[in-house]
Amino acid sequence: MTVRLDNPPWLTSAATRAVFAALEAAGGPGCARFVGGSVRNALLGQAVDDIDIATTLEPEAAFGAIRKAGLKAVPTGLAHGTVTAVSGHRPYEITTLRRDVTTDGRNATVAFTDDWGEDAARRDFRLNALYADLTGRIYDPTGAGVEDALAGRVIFVGDPVTRIREDYLRILRFFRFYAWYGRDVPDAVAMAACAAEAEGLARLSAERVSKELMKLLAAPDPRRAVAAMAAAGVLARILPEAETGPVFQRLCDLSADPVLRLAALVPAEADLLRGLAGRLRLSNAVRDRLVTGAEAAAAVRPDMGDRAARAAVYRLGARAVQDALMRQRAAGAGAPVDDQRLTALITGWTPPVLPVGGRDLARLGVAPGPETGRLLKAFEAGWIADDFPAGGHEARLRALLDPGPNPPPG
């Protein structure tokens, strides 16, 4: 039975047709097909982000054809068969049909081919080994990719152990695709292969591991996939700190943010999270967010008042307070009396700048030095405690210099 895509806009656009016209001018009709995620997602009625194209043209020929057509061509990976065409301000990754010659679990030496079946045989899962032409007709070389996609099954192409040993990242890709597309229980044969080959994950770079993990955690509901990873012994390999208990379970209902979900998978301990971020080579921004969120956890509660919330935002930053509050809610700590009020305050309040500095103290006769820092720190503590008053700053400083029976003004 012939299956066709229902003319999604990205397939029928002038930009897409220009790329196909350029390739077919060099390789003839049928030399190019859409492949992988765009076909799978369009079949399922889901959004398409990246458009990948497979072609029988060799890389140099594809590169030349794109340039000859007046489109921008980028040699993104000629040795591995990949060039990128830019048409209508959109990138199209074009890869020559390939077969593996040698693999080492991380990288493969490939040879180019004109056999669509050989190209499909080296792909990871049957639902990813789908191709479509410019009319929307789907080609399914494994004979089961369309059925798998529609049924929510993630099954390796051919022997799972063979596919995994070609690239151990496929273990994590299995759980990531299960998180996004799987239904019911994961494939038992795939699970057994992932468990048996999990030791090979140690051969992967931290960057590849963390990228897959974050993509998995960004799925609408990653909980079943994370549970399957734990059951296969895979989660412990990449995230030995993981705790898949109630905090993580509840937070997945509260937020779709993969960074928050990662934080909820481990104890809220700043040093532990700092070490985790370093081990996984997470970006500095993600590392800092994880650490500051953990540091804020002890200072905030969902039922805190406005004054306490402002003090927390001033000291810790709005993002850290929001993250800590989300974790507290997931942990069931405190009763959010007015959640909308607190969220509006945290996101809408701009912390003021400390209204005094060393020059103000110098005018009062304090010489520059350690005493200046001590006095400014004391001033700031009282100013925060009094909820950031707009005036009375000089009187407060004078009171710190000559404390009498009366406290600094509030």
Side-chain angles (χ1 to χ4, degrees):
M1 180 181 71
T2 300
V3 181
R4 292 184 182 275
L5 301 179
D6 189 21
N7 292 325
W10 58 266
L11 185 150
T12 60
S13 74
T16 299
R17 292 185 178 276
V19 175
F20 267 71
L23 296 172
E24 291 186 344
C31 75
R33 295 173 184 171
F34 303 103
V35 64
S38 61
V39 182
R40 177 199 64 233
N41 281 22
L43 175 65
L44 296 173
Q46 298 185 12
V48 169
D49 295 322
D50 301 321
I51 301 177
D52 295 337
I53 297 170
T55 182
T56 56
L57 288 172
E58 293 208 357
E60 292 80 1
F63 184 78
I66 295 299
R67 294 190 66 182
K68 185 176 180 180
L71 301 175
K72 182 179 180 180
V74 183
T76 42
L78 285 176
H80 296 283
T82 301
V83 301
T84 298
V86 181
S87 179
H89 306 289
R90 183 167 194 167
Y92 295 78
E93 189 171 278
I94 302 163
T95 303
T96 302
L97 303 186
R98 299 176 292 182
R99 59 180 175 83
D100 289 337
V101 177
T102 60
T103 60
D104 63 4
R106 294 179 62 180
N107 303 293
T109 302
V110 300
F112 303 127
T113 180
D114 60 2
D115 187 323
W116 296 92
E118 278 191 314
D119 187 74
R122 70 176 298 278
R123 295 184 178 271
D124 48 13
F125 311 113
R126 300 186 315 204
L127 83 172
N128 288 340
L130 295 174
Y131 306 78
D133 62 23
L134 205 54
T135 72
R137 178 182 176 181
I138 293 179
Y139 299 83
D140 187 0
T142 71
V146 169
E147 184 180 342
D148 284 354
L150 295 175
R153 292 192 297 262
V154 183
I155 297 178
F156 281 96
V157 174
D159 176 54
V161 171
T162 300
R163 294 286 82 76
I164 289 171
R165 289 179 178 175
E166 289 167 351
D167 185 352
Y168 286 102
L169 191 70
R170 286 173 171 169
I171 294 175
L172 300 183
R173 283 175 63 82
F174 170 75
F175 293 104
R176 193 243 293 185
F177 279 94
Y178 176 65
W180 280 93
Y181 303 102
R183 300 181 208 154
D184 302 322
V185 297
D187 179 63
V189 177
M191 282 284 287
C194 289
E197 299 297 320
E199 186 176 347
L201 291 167
R203 304 176 64 178
L204 300 174
S205 70
E207 291 84 356
R208 295 183 80 199
V209 170
S210 61
K211 185 177 181 180
E212 283 298 318
L213 177 61
M214 298 308 284
K215 286 182 177 180
L216 186 158
L217 291 173
D221 186 350
R223 287 173 288 197
R224 288 184 304 130
V226 169
M229 289 175 72
V234 170
L235 186 61
R237 294 275 182 179
I238 64 169
L239 204 65
E241 308 92 338
E243 297 177 352
T244 61
V247 174
F248 173 69
Q249 299 296 319
R250 294 190 193 110
L251 194 131
C252 287
D253 285 327
L254 294 172
S255 175
D257 188 328
V259 177
L260 274 178
R261 289 173 170 181
L262 174 61
L265 263 176
V266 299
E269 299 172 12
D271 288 343
L272 182 150
L273 285 160
R274 189 178 289 108
L276 179 155
R279 190 180 72 246
L280 292 179
R281 299 290 192 272
L282 298 175
S283 70
N284 290 344
V286 171
R287 177 203 63 204
D288 292 346
R289 186 176 170 195
L290 291 171
V291 171
T292 57
E295 290 173 341
V300 303
R301 289 182 62 83
D303 54 1
M304 64 184 174
D306 289 5
R307 176 177 292 206
R310 282 189 285 268
V313 171
Y314 179 85
R315 292 187 183 280
L316 303 164
R319 169 62 78 179
V321 174
Q322 286 179 283
D323 287 354
L325 282 172
M326 190 67 74
R327 186 187 181 98
Q328 294 278 6
R329 290 173 186 137
V337 177
D338 187 348
D339 195 53
Q340 289 185 341
R341 171 198 59 80
L342 193 55
T343 299
L345 186 153
I346 293 167
T347 58
W349 182 68
T350 301
V353 177
L354 186 68
V356 299
R359 289 183 179 180
D360 300 286
L361 286 170
R363 284 196 295 268
L364 297 177
V366 179
E371 182 67 1
T372 296
R374 186 191 70 78
L375 288 168
L376 288 177
K377 186 174 182 180
F379 174 92
E380 183 180 41
W383 180 64
I384 294 171
D386 286 340
D387 203 19
F388 311 97
H393 308 317
E394 184 173 334
R396 187 183 296 274
L397 287 175
R398 289 184 181 279
L400 289 170
L401 289 172
D402 184 22
N406 297 317

